């Protein structure tokens, strides 16, 4: 697994889409598997866009591309 001081990597899906699109790359990015080194692993944040997948629809208007 990634070291405690690993770099943070935020990845975001497009529309229409889902964070599920990244399931194949999460393991190589967060572990030392696939021939990588533990110090090369990341802490990955892969949020779901508001109103998609497991995220609730925003309660107020104004959640466009710029705000997200």
């Amino acid at each position: 697994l990634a070291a405690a001081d690993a770099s943070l990597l935020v990845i975001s899906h497009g529309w229409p889409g889902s964070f599920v699109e990244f399931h194949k790359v999460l393991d190589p990015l967060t572990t030392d598997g696939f021939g990588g080194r533990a110090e090369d692993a990341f802490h990955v944040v892969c949020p779901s866009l508001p109103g998609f997948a497991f995220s609730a629809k925003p309660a107020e208007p104004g959640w466009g591309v710029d705000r997200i």
Side-chain angles (χ1 to χ4, degrees):
L1 294 175
D5 63 346
S7 295
L8 178 64
L9 178 65
V10 178
I11 54 178
S12 180
H13 63 85
W15 183 91
S18 167
F19 63 89
V20 176
E21 297 170 9
F22 299 115
H23 77 279
K24 291 182 181 178
V25 299
L26 291 177
D27 192 45
L29 289 172
T30 60
T31 69
D32 60 348
F34 300 97
R37 301 176 306 169
E39 58 268 21
D40 294 332
F42 294 92
H43 293 294
V44 177
V45 176
C46 186
S48 183
L49 295 177
F52 294 90
F54 297 105
S55 293
K57 182 178 176 183
E60 73 252 0
W63 281 89
V65 175
D66 292 336
R67 187 170 182 188
I68 292 170

